[in-house]
Amino acid sequence: MALVIKLSGRIFDDEELVLRYASVINKLPGKIGVVAGGGELARRYIAVARRGGASNTFQDLLGIYASRLNALLLISLLRDAYPRVPATLEEFLAAWGGHKVVVAGGFQPGQSTATVAALVAEAVGSPVLLNAANIDAVYSDDPRRNPNARRIPEMRYDEFEKILHSSALPGGYELMDVWSLSILRRNCITTYVFDGRRPDHIEAIARGENPGSRITC
Amino acid sequence: MALVIKLSGRIFDDEELVLRYASVINKLPGKIGVVAGGGELARRYIAVARRGGASNTFQDLLGIYASRLNALLLISLLRDAYPRVPATLEEFLAAWGGHKVVVAGGFQPGQSTATVAALVAEAVGSPVLLNAANIDAVYSDDPRRNPNARRIPEMRYDEFEKILHSSALPGGYELMDVWSLSILRRNCITTYVFDGRRPDHIEAIARGENPGSRITC
Amino acid sequence: MALVIKLSGRIFDDEELVLRYASVINKLPGKIGVVAGGGELARRYIAVARRGGASNTFQDLLGIYASRLNALLLISLLRDAYPRVPATLEEFLAAWGGHKVVVAGGFQPGQSTATVAALVAEAVGSPVLLNAANIDAVYSDDPRRNPNARRIPEMRYDEFEKILHSSALPGGYELMDVWSLSILRRNCITTYVFDGRRPDHIEAIARGENPGSRITC
Amino acid sequence: MALVIKLSGRIFDDEELVLRYASVINKLPGKIGVVAGGGELARRYIAVARRGGASNTFQDLLGIYASRLNALLLISLLRDAYPRVPATLEEFLAAWGGHKVVVAGGFQPGQSTATVAALVAEAVGSPVLLNAANIDAVYSDDPRRNPNARRIPEMRYDEFEKILHSSALPGGYELMDVWSLSILRRNCITTYVFDGRRPDHIEAIARGENPGSRITC
Amino acid sequence: MALVIKLSGRIFDDEELVLRYASVINKLPGKIGVVAGGGELARRYIAVARRGGASNTFQDLLGIYASRLNALLLISLLRDAYPRVPATLEEFLAAWGGHKVVVAGGFQPGQSTATVAALVAEAVGSPVLLNAANIDAVYSDDPRRNPNARRIPEMRYDEFEKILHSSALPGGYELMDVWSLSILRRNCITTYVFDGRRPDHIEAIARGENPGSRITC
Amino acid sequence: MALVIKLSGRIFDDEELVLRYASVINKLPGKIGVVAGGGELARRYIAVARRGGASNTFQDLLGIYASRLNALLLISLLRDAYPRVPATLEEFLAAWGGHKVVVAGGFQPGQSTATVAALVAEAVGSPVLLNAANIDAVYSDDPRRNPNARRIPEMRYDEFEKILHSSALPGGYELMDVWSLSILRRNCITTYVFDGRRPDHIEAIARGENPGSRITC
C-alpha cells in the first residue's frame, strides 16, 4: 500500500532529524512518496532575491530548488530510492513504478510543497497523508499567542477549512493551503498532522495511534 | 512589452473563432503569451475517464492534453510562434526569449488554465492579463438566473474575491479561481474579462477601451 | 509474450467501446503494447488548421496530439500502464521494461499510427499485430461500393500489397500503408484485421480464432 | 529563405569532401537545414549487429547513431550551427529559430535519412531540397549495368515514381524512397539530385543551374 | 566577445556580495558565462550525507544541487539571463546562443566547479577565465601559515602546476585542480585569480589591470 | 552484486571480439555496468574535425558520439539491456534499477571513458572495475620500447600513480588517468587490467584469477 509523507522544510535545518527520518523511512514497508519543504534555506535565498528585485516567479523557483536540495539529501540516505528528484508530477508517477521510495521537492512557482504532497497522494492513490509539521497538532487558534487555544485531535475538512480561513492557523501556509485542502478532500485522503521533530510518530501512526491531529472527509 | 491572453476552451469549439483569434494575434505588436483552455473537448474525455473509474490525477491530465491540442491548433495558425506547447513554466520561460508568441495549455493536475495564465503573466512580467471568457463581463450574480444581476465594469481584486467566494460567479472556476486571483493580485496585474466570442475586443483593449470588466489591485 | 494492438481512432468516438477495450486489455496476460489512432478528433482539428493555411507538418502534429489524447484516455482506464504517452520509439522501448502495458499515439509527422504500430511490434518482438479497424476484414474491393467484393480471411503480404496498391482498400491509409506493410513483412509479424467495434475479437484471436482477416508473410 | 541539403552518408567517408561541404555551407546566405546519411559507417555497424542476431529496430538505431556522428562532424566545422544533433522533428523545429544552420541525422527506426530530409524541408517551408547523392543524376536505368541508360535532367514526381518502382534506381533507397517522395510531392518541393562528390554544385544550383537532375511536381 | 567568470561558492554566503556581482555582470558588455560554486551550503549538506553513510556519488550530487541553487539566485538578479541552470555542457552550449548570460553550477559527480568553468570557457571560446576566489592571488605557499609565502602576480601554467602539486595551494581544490588546469592550458586561456570579495576587480581586469594573479600558457 | 566493465574502444574495431564480449556478458550473473571507449572510430572523426579547425569541445563530443555508437552496438547484442545509451551519470543511475545491463559511452567533453567507468563503478557501488585494455597488464615501463619493462601483477594505487606520472604508461590516457584513479582510490574499488582481446578473462577473474594486473587501495 502507498503512503505519502510531507516533511516540513524546518526538519532539514536539524541534521539529527534528517538522519532519523531516513532511518524510519528505510524501515517502513510498502511504497512511499515523500515531499520535502524548503525551510529556512528557501527563506534565506528568497530574501536575497527579493532585495535584489527578483520577480515572484524566481523567488518561488529558489524555494523549489532549495526543497529539491533537501529532497536529494534524504534520497542519499535511503535504500532503493529513485535517484533523482522528480521535477513534475508526471515524472513522479513514471518513477513510482520502479522504486520503493520517490522523494520530491517543489514542482512549480505559485504552489506550496503542501500542495505537491496532496497532488502526489492523489496520484499514487494513497489513503493517508502524513504531515510532519512545524506544530504538534491543529489548534483552534495560535497557541503561541492565545493560551486558550484548543488542541483538536479529530476534525473534518470542513471544520479545518474554517480554521484555515480564520487566518489564525499556526504553521500557516506551509501546513496546508486552500489548494492542497481541496485536493485532499476531493480524494477523501486522511491527513495526520504531527510534530515534525518526532520521526517516531510515523511509526505510532502506522500502529493506529493519532499523536497529533487527524483530518478526515 | 509583454501581453498575456487567456483563451477559454470554449473558443476552440468554434472553428471560425479560432481562425479570427489567430488573425488578431498575428497583427499584435510585441511579445505575446497565450494560454488555451480545454473546453468541451476536455469535459468529454474527462467524463469517459470518470465513468471508467480513472483517478482525479488522470482526469486532470486529460484536461491538460486537451488544452495542449487546442494550443497546438493556435500555434499552427500563427507566424513566429514557438513550435511546441511548453509543458512547464520553466519551459515556457526558456522559449519566451526566442519567439514572438508562446502558446501553452495546462501545466499540471489540480490546476486550472486560469492559474497557468496568471503564472505566465507573472513570469514574463506582463502588466495585463486579457481573459477571453465564457461571459461578457463580471456580474454581481449569475445573470442567467438573476435578472437583477449587476454588470461590474471596474473593480478591485478584493471586491472580485468576494464575488468569487459567493459561488455565484458565472463562468466560475474556469474564469478565475482563488489561486490565480492571488497570483494576479500579488503582482498587481490588471485583468480584463471580456466576451470570448469577440476577438476584436483584444484590439479594443489595446486602444484603451474596456469592453467587459477590468480588475485592478 | 508480447502482443501489440492497434486501435482505430474511430474507437475513441464511442465512449462505450473505449471502456470495453480497457476492460479486455486489463484481463489480457503478458505484456501489451497499444497504439491509438487520432480518429474523428484528429480530422476535425486538421481541417481547421488547413483552412487557416497551416503547414502539412503542423496538420500532422495535430493528428499526433489528438492520438495522444486518445492514448491517455485509455491509460487512465488501465491497471499497471506506463503513466505517460511515449513520444518516440526509444521512449516506448525504455518504458516497456517496467510496465504491463505501454500506450502510444503518433510519433512524428508524415507517419501513420499504423506505421507506429508496426514499429512498436518490431521493437518489442511481438509475433502478432492486432489491428482493430474501421472494417471487419480485408476485402478484394470496397464492399460499400462493390457488392461483389470478396472477403479474404487469409492472405500473404504479397497479396495484401496488391490490394493496397489497387487503391480500393476500404479503411485505406489508416488500416495499413506501404511503410507499415514493409515493416511487418520484414519481421514476419502476423497481422489480424478485425472489426474495431468488437473488443471481444481480441479474446477470440487469443483463443486461436480468426474473426476477420489474417495476413502472414 | 530556407534551404535544405541532404548529404549522402558516403560523403563522410571522404575527409576532404566533408571539409569542402562545410566550407560551402559556411558561405551560403539564409537559413539552412542539413540531413546527413549514415554511409559506410552505418553499414559496417549494422552488419555486426545482424550477425549477432540484433533486431531490425536496433539495426536501424545503429544507422541513426552513425548518421548523428556524421552530423556532429559537420556541426563541428560550421559557424553558427545549433550545437546539438536534433533527435526528432520537433526538436529540429525548436532549434530552427535560433541558428543559421541545423544539422540532423536520422530520426527513428524504419525511416531513411532521405525521408528525414523531406520532413525537414516540409517543416521549415523550404521550396527546394538539394540531394547530394551517390550518383550524378537520375537515370532511366542503372548506368553501371545498362550502357543505354538515359540521363534525365528534368522530370516530374510522377515520372520519378515510375523509375523508383521499377527497382532499377541506382543509389536506390538512400536517394529517395516512396515515403520521402510522397512528402516532397505533397508540398511541391523541387528536388535537385547531384553528384555528392561535387560540393560546388550547391553553388551552381544557387546560380540557377541544374548540374544533375531536377524533379518538380 | 565571450567572457567566463567562476564565482567561488563562498561568495554566496554573503548576501551583499551576491547583489554586487549581479550588478557588475549586468553592466558588462558582450556575452558572459558564469559558473557558481557550492560553498558552505554544499559542505554542510555533504557533511550530513557522509554521516548517514551516503555514497561519494550522492555527496557530489548534493554539492552540485547546492551550486545550482547559487546559480539560480544569481540568475534571478540578472537581466537577459537564460532562465534555467544548464545541467550539462551541451545544454549550456544550446542556451548560449539566445541570451547575454548563462549561469551554471556543477555538471556531474567527481568534478569541481573549477573544471566546469574551464570546460565552459573552452566551449564558448573565451580567451580569459576570471576566477573570483577565496584568496586574493596565487602564492608560493599558504600565506596563512607561511609568512614568507610569495605573492605571484604573473606565471605560466607550468609554474602554476608545480605549486598545485606541492599541495600547499591555498584555496586548494576549489581554486583549480589538475583537470581544469589541463583544459585551460590546452586552449591557452588566460586565467585571472582575484579576491572573490571584490566584484569591482572584474571591472579592473576589463580595464587591463591585474589585481591578483594572471596565469598564461 | 554489481560489476562494472570498461571496454577499450579498440575492441569495437574487431567484429569478432564484440560478439564474444556480448556473449560473455549475456552469461554473467548479477547486474552489470559497461562503459565503451571510442577507439579508432573516435580518433578518425576527431582528426577531420581538428584539420577543419573545430574546437576541443567538439573534438571531445565527436569522441563521445563515437563511443555511444559502440555502446549501442553492444546493447543491440545483449539480452535485458537498457535500450538507450545514458548521456549522464544521473540517467545511468535512473536506468540501473530496471535492467540487468546498462551500457554507456562517454558523458562529457574533457573526460576520458576511463573516468566514466570509475564514476559508474562508484555510483552503483561496484567493488571491482574490469578494465579490458589495449595492453595485457600494467608494466613498470613501456614493454614495446623497453625490453626490461617489468610486468606487475599486483600493486596499490599509490604505486600505480607513480607509474602514471612517469608518463611511460603503455596504453596511456585511455587505460586510466589521474581523475579516474582518484575516484577508484577514494572508493577502494579493485581494478583488474587485462588484455582486451581476451573476453574469456572476465570469466577467469570471476573465478578468482588475475590474468593481468590487479590494483588495490
Side-chain angles (χ1 to χ4, degrees):
Chain A
M1 207 185 67
L3 177 69
V4 175
I5 304 170
K6 160 76 172 61
L7 298 180
S8 159
R10 297 273 173 89
I11 287 164
F12 293 89
D13 300 334
D14 180 338
E15 184 171 325
E16 219 54 56
L17 261 185
V18 178
L19 295 170
R20 282 168 58 208
Y21 268 104
S23 168
V24 165
I25 292 169
N26 274 329
K27 279 185 228 137
L28 285 175
K31 307 203 76 166
I32 300 147
V34 184
V35 178
E40 192 51 35
L41 176 64
R43 268 176 284 277
R44 189 153 55 83
Y45 274 75
I46 290 169
V48 185
R50 186 182 298 125
R51 258 197 63 195
S55 69
N56 285 318
T57 301
F58 272 107
Q59 290 179 37
D60 282 2
L61 282 171
L62 285 166
I64 290 169
Y65 271 53
S67 66
R68 287 179 184 163
L69 177 56
N70 287 339
L72 190 71
L73 177 54
L74 186 63
I75 289 170
S76 79
L77 302 168
L78 296 178
R79 282 191 300 275
D80 193 15
Y82 178 60
R84 289 174 148 171
V85 182
T88 63
L89 186 63
E90 292 180 77
E91 187 184 346
F92 192 103
L93 265 181
W96 183 252
H99 298 270
K100 178 184 152 72
V101 194
V102 181
V103 188
F107 281 159
Q108 68 162 231
Q111 181 182 62
S112 68
T113 49
T115 298
V116 170
L119 286 169
V120 162
E122 174 180 86
V124 305
S126 172
V128 293
L129 172 62
L130 271 50
N131 193 326
N134 295 333
I135 193 162
D136 66 341
V138 178
Y139 286 80
S140 62
D141 198 356
D142 188 340
R144 285 166 299 195
R145 291 181 211 155
N146 180 350
N148 297 322
R150 191 170 37 91
R151 199 176 192 270
I152 314 176
E154 295 274 355
M155 82 208 76
R156 298 197 172 274
Y157 281 108
D158 288 350
E159 189 179 352
F160 182 71
E161 192 174 20
K162 277 174 209 148
I163 302 174
L164 203 63
H165 277 302
S166 72
S167 289
L169 185 72
Y173 180 70
E174 200 182 343
L175 178 60
M176 207 186 294
D177 52 18
V178 176
W179 196 32
S180 55
L181 187 147
S182 74
I183 294 162
L184 293 168
R185 183 161 46 187
R186 79 175 183 179
N187 294 283
C188 263
I189 293 167
T190 298
T191 296
Y192 287 84
V193 173
F194 65 95
D195 187 345
R197 290 166 302 182
R198 296 289 303 274
D200 57 301
H201 279 349
I202 292 180
E203 296 159 322
I205 293 168
R207 284 193 305 268
E209 301 172 22
N210 175 16
S213 296
R214 178 163 45 202
I215 316 170
T216 52
C217 75
Chain B
M1 208 185 67
L3 177 68
V4 175
I5 304 170
K6 159 78 173 61
L7 297 181
S8 159
R10 298 273 173 90
I11 288 165
F12 294 88
D13 300 334
D14 179 339
E15 184 171 324
E16 219 54 55
L17 262 184
V18 178
L19 295 170
R20 282 166 59 205
Y21 269 105
S23 168
V24 165
I25 292 170
N26 273 329
K27 279 184 230 139
L28 285 175
K31 306 203 75 165
I32 301 148
V34 183
V35 178
E40 192 50 35
L41 176 65
R43 268 176 285 277
R44 188 153 55 84
Y45 274 74
I46 289 169
V48 185
R50 186 182 298 124
R51 258 197 63 195
S55 69
N56 285 316
T57 302
F58 272 106
Q59 290 178 38
D60 283 2
L61 282 171
L62 285 166
I64 290 168
Y65 271 53
S67 67
R68 287 179 184 163
L69 176 56
N70 286 339
L72 190 71
L73 176 56
L74 186 62
I75 290 170
S76 79
L77 303 169
L78 295 178
R79 283 192 298 275
D80 193 14
Y82 178 60
R84 288 174 148 169
V85 182
T88 64
L89 186 62
E90 293 180 75
E91 187 185 345
F92 192 103
L93 266 180
W96 183 253
H99 297 270
K100 178 184 152 72
V101 194
V102 180
V103 187
F107 281 159
Q108 68 162 232
Q111 183 182 60
S112 68
T113 49
T115 298
V116 170
L119 287 168
V120 162
E122 174 181 89
V124 304
S126 171
V128 292
L129 172 63
L130 271 49
N131 193 326
N134 295 332
I135 193 161
D136 66 341
V138 178
Y139 285 80
S140 62
D141 199 356
D142 188 339
R144 286 166 299 195
R145 291 180 211 155
N146 181 350
N148 298 321
R150 191 171 37 90
R151 199 175 191 270
I152 314 176
E154 295 273 355
M155 83 207 76
R156 299 197 172 274
Y157 281 108
D158 288 351
E159 188 181 351
F160 182 71
E161 192 175 19
K162 276 174 209 148
I163 301 173
L164 204 62
H165 277 302
S166 73
S167 290
L169 185 71
Y173 180 69
E174 201 182 341
L175 177 61
M176 206 186 295
D177 52 18
V178 175
W179 195 33
S180 55
L181 186 148
S182 74
I183 295 162
L184 293 168
R185 183 160 46 187
R186 79 175 184 179
N187 293 283
C188 264
I189 293 166
T190 298
T191 297
Y192 288 84
V193 173
F194 64 95
D195 186 345
R197 290 166 302 183
R198 297 288 304 274
D200 57 301
H201 279 349
I202 292 180
E203 296 159 323
I205 294 168
R207 284 193 305 267
E209 300 172 21
N210 175 17
S213 296
R214 176 163 46 202
I215 316 170
T216 52
C217 73
Chain C
M1 207 185 66
L3 177 68
V4 175
I5 304 170
K6 161 77 174 60
L7 297 181
S8 160
R10 297 273 173 90
I11 289 165
F12 294 88
D13 300 334
D14 179 340
E15 184 171 324
E16 220 53 56
L17 262 184
V18 177
L19 294 170
R20 282 167 60 207
Y21 268 104
S23 169
V24 166
I25 292 169
N26 273 329
K27 280 185 227 138
L28 285 176
K31 306 202 78 166
I32 301 148
V34 183
V35 178
E40 192 50 35
L41 176 65
R43 267 175 286 277
R44 188 153 55 84
Y45 274 74
I46 290 169
V48 185
R50 186 181 298 125
R51 257 196 65 195
S55 68
N56 285 316
T57 300
F58 273 106
Q59 290 179 38
D60 283 2
L61 282 171
L62 285 166
I64 291 168
Y65 271 53
S67 66
R68 287 179 184 163
L69 177 56
N70 286 339
L72 191 71
L73 176 56
L74 187 62
I75 290 170
S76 79
L77 303 168
L78 295 178
R79 283 193 297 275
D80 193 15
Y82 178 60
R84 288 174 148 171
V85 182
T88 63
L89 186 62
E90 293 180 76
E91 188 184 347
F92 192 104
L93 266 180
W96 182 252
H99 298 271
K100 178 184 152 73
V101 193
V102 181
V103 188
F107 280 158
Q108 68 162 232
Q111 183 181 60
S112 67
T113 49
T115 299
V116 170
L119 286 168
V120 161
E122 175 180 88
V124 304
S126 171
V128 293
L129 172 62
L130 272 49
N131 194 325
N134 294 334
I135 193 161
D136 66 340
V138 178
Y139 286 80
S140 62
D141 200 356
D142 189 338
R144 286 166 299 193
R145 292 182 211 155
N146 179 350
N148 298 321
R150 192 170 36 90
R151 200 174 191 272
I152 314 177
E154 293 273 354
M155 82 208 77
R156 298 196 172 276
Y157 280 108
D158 287 351
E159 190 182 349
F160 181 71
E161 192 174 20
K162 278 175 209 147
I163 300 173
L164 203 62
H165 278 302
S166 73
S167 290
L169 185 71
Y173 180 69
E174 201 182 341
L175 178 60
M176 205 187 295
D177 53 17
V178 176
W179 195 33
S180 55
L181 186 149
S182 75
I183 294 162
L184 294 167
R185 183 160 47 187
R186 79 176 183 178
N187 293 284
C188 263
I189 293 166
T190 298
T191 297
Y192 287 85
V193 173
F194 65 95
D195 187 345
R197 290 166 301 182
R198 297 288 303 274
D200 56 302
H201 279 349
I202 292 180
E203 295 159 324
I205 294 168
R207 285 193 304 267
E209 299 172 24
N210 175 18
S213 296
R214 177 163 45 202
I215 315 170
T216 53
C217 74
Chain D
M1 208 185 68
L3 176 69
V4 175
I5 305 171
K6 159 78 174 59
L7 297 182
S8 160
R10 298 273 173 89
I11 287 164
F12 294 89
D13 300 333
D14 180 339
E15 183 171 326
E16 219 54 56
L17 261 184
V18 178
L19 296 170
R20 283 168 58 207
Y21 268 104
S23 168
V24 165
I25 292 168
N26 274 328
K27 280 185 229 139
L28 286 175
K31 306 203 77 165
I32 299 148
V34 183
V35 178
E40 191 51 35
L41 176 64
R43 270 176 283 277
R44 189 153 56 81
Y45 274 74
I46 290 169
V48 185
R50 186 181 298 125
R51 258 197 64 195
S55 68
N56 285 317
T57 301
F58 273 106
Q59 290 178 39
D60 283 1
L61 282 171
L62 285 166
I64 289 167
Y65 271 54
S67 67
R68 288 180 183 163
L69 177 55
N70 287 339
L72 190 72
L73 176 55
L74 186 62
I75 289 169
S76 79
L77 302 168
L78 295 178
R79 283 193 298 274
D80 193 14
Y82 178 61
R84 288 174 149 174
V85 182
T88 62
L89 186 62
E90 291 179 79
E91 187 185 346
F92 192 103
L93 266 180
W96 183 252
H99 298 271
K100 179 183 151 74
V101 193
V102 181
V103 187
F107 280 159
Q108 68 160 232
Q111 182 181 60
S112 69
T113 48
T115 298
V116 170
L119 287 168
V120 162
E122 175 180 86
V124 303
S126 172
V128 292
L129 172 63
L130 272 49
N131 193 326
N134 294 332
I135 194 162
D136 66 341
V138 177
Y139 286 80
S140 62
D141 198 357
D142 189 339
R144 285 166 299 194
R145 292 182 209 153
N146 180 350
N148 297 323
R150 189 170 38 92
R151 200 176 192 271
I152 314 177
E154 295 273 356
M155 83 207 76
R156 296 194 173 275
Y157 280 110
D158 287 351
E159 190 181 351
F160 182 70
E161 192 174 20
K162 278 174 208 147
I163 300 174
L164 203 63
H165 277 302
S166 73
S167 289
L169 185 72
Y173 180 69
E174 200 183 342
L175 178 59
M176 205 186 294
D177 52 18
V178 175
W179 196 32
S180 54
L181 186 148
S182 73
I183 295 162
L184 294 168
R185 184 161 45 186
R186 78 176 183 179
N187 293 285
C188 264
I189 293 167
T190 299
T191 297
Y192 287 85
V193 173
F194 64 94
D195 186 346
R197 289 166 302 183
R198 298 289 303 274
D200 57 302
H201 279 350
I202 292 179
E203 297 160 322
I205 294 168
R207 284 192 305 268
E209 300 172 23
N210 174 16
S213 296
R214 177 163 47 201
I215 315 171
T216 52
C217 74
Chain E
M1 207 185 67
L3 177 68
V4 175
I5 304 171
K6 160 77 174 59
L7 297 182
S8 160
R10 298 270 174 90
I11 288 164
F12 293 88
D13 300 333
D14 179 340
E15 183 171 325
E16 220 53 58
L17 261 184
V18 178
L19 295 171
R20 283 166 59 207
Y21 268 104
S23 169
V24 166
I25 292 169
N26 273 329
K27 280 185 228 137
L28 285 175
K31 305 202 78 165
I32 300 148
V34 183
V35 179
E40 192 51 35
L41 175 65
R43 269 175 286 278
R44 188 153 55 83
Y45 274 75
I46 290 169
V48 185
R50 187 182 296 123
R51 258 196 62 195
S55 69
N56 285 316
T57 300
F58 273 106
Q59 290 179 39
D60 283 3
L61 282 171
L62 285 165
I64 290 168
Y65 271 54
S67 66
R68 288 179 183 164
L69 178 56
N70 287 338
L72 191 72
L73 176 55
L74 187 61
I75 289 170
S76 79
L77 303 168
L78 295 178
R79 282 192 298 274
D80 193 14
Y82 178 60
R84 288 174 148 171
V85 182
T88 63
L89 186 62
E90 292 180 76
E91 187 184 347
F92 191 103
L93 266 180
W96 183 252
H99 298 271
K100 179 184 151 74
V101 193
V102 181
V103 187
F107 281 158
Q108 68 162 232
Q111 182 182 60
S112 68
T113 48
T115 298
V116 170
L119 286 168
V120 162
E122 174 179 89
V124 304
S126 172
V128 293
L129 172 63
L130 271 49
N131 193 325
N134 295 333
I135 194 163
D136 66 340
V138 178
Y139 286 80
S140 61
D141 200 356
D142 188 339
R144 286 166 298 194
R145 292 182 211 155
N146 180 350
N148 297 322
R150 191 169 38 89
R151 201 175 190 271
I152 315 176
E154 293 274 355
M155 82 208 77
R156 298 195 172 274
Y157 281 108
D158 288 351
E159 190 182 350
F160 181 72
E161 191 174 21
K162 277 175 209 145
I163 300 174
L164 202 63
H165 278 301
S166 72
S167 290
L169 184 71
Y173 179 70
E174 200 183 343
L175 177 59
M176 205 187 296
D177 53 17
V178 176
W179 195 33
S180 54
L181 185 149
S182 74
I183 294 162
L184 294 168
R185 183 157 50 186
R186 79 175 184 179
N187 293 285
C188 263
I189 292 166
T190 298
T191 297
Y192 287 85
V193 173
F194 65 95
D195 187 344
R197 291 166 302 183
R198 297 289 303 276
D200 57 301
H201 280 349
I202 291 179
E203 296 160 323
I205 293 168
R207 285 192 306 267
E209 300 173 24
N210 175 17
S213 295
R214 177 163 45 202
I215 316 171
T216 52
C217 74
Chain F
M1 207 185 68
L3 176 68
V4 174
I5 305 171
K6 159 77 173 60
L7 296 181
S8 160
R10 297 273 173 89
I11 287 163
F12 294 88
D13 300 334
D14 180 338
E15 184 172 324
E16 219 55 56
L17 261 184
V18 178
L19 295 171
R20 283 167 58 207
Y21 268 103
S23 168
V24 165
I25 292 169
N26 273 330
K27 280 185 228 138
L28 285 175
K31 306 202 78 165
I32 300 147
V34 183
V35 179
E40 191 51 34
L41 176 65
R43 268 176 284 278
R44 188 153 56 81
Y45 273 75
I46 291 169
V48 185
R50 187 182 296 123
R51 258 196 63 195
S55 69
N56 285 316
T57 299
F58 273 106
Q59 290 179 38
D60 283 3
L61 281 171
L62 285 166
I64 289 167
Y65 270 53
S67 67
R68 287 179 184 164
L69 177 56
N70 287 339
L72 190 72
L73 177 55
L74 187 62
I75 289 169
S76 78
L77 303 168
L78 296 178
R79 282 192 297 275
D80 193 14
Y82 178 60
R84 287 174 148 172
V85 182
T88 63
L89 186 61
E90 292 179 78
E91 187 185 345
F92 192 103
L93 266 180
W96 182 252
H99 298 271
K100 179 184 150 74
V101 194
V102 181
V103 188
F107 281 158
Q108 67 161 232
Q111 182 182 60
S112 68
T113 49
T115 298
V116 170
L119 287 168
V120 162
E122 175 180 87
V124 302
S126 172
V128 292
L129 173 62
L130 271 50
N131 193 325
N134 295 332
I135 194 163
D136 66 340
V138 178
Y139 286 80
S140 62
D141 199 356
D142 188 339
R144 285 166 300 193
R145 292 182 208 155
N146 180 350
N148 296 322
R150 190 169 37 89
R151 199 176 191 270
I152 314 177
E154 294 273 356
M155 83 207 75
R156 295 194 173 277
Y157 280 108
D158 289 350
E159 190 182 350
F160 182 70
E161 191 174 21
K162 278 175 207 147
I163 300 173
L164 204 62
H165 277 302
S166 73
S167 291
L169 185 72
Y173 180 69
E174 199 183 343
L175 177 60
M176 205 186 295
D177 53 18
V178 174
W179 195 32
S180 55
L181 187 148
S182 73
I183 294 163
L184 294 168
R185 183 159 48 187
R186 79 176 182 178
N187 294 284
C188 265
I189 293 167
T190 298
T191 297
Y192 288 84
V193 173
F194 65 94
D195 186 346
R197 290 166 303 184
R198 298 290 302 274
D200 57 303
H201 279 350
I202 292 179
E203 296 160 322
I205 292 169
R207 284 192 306 268
E209 299 173 24
N210 175 16
S213 295
R214 177 163 46 202
I215 315 171
T216 52
C217 75

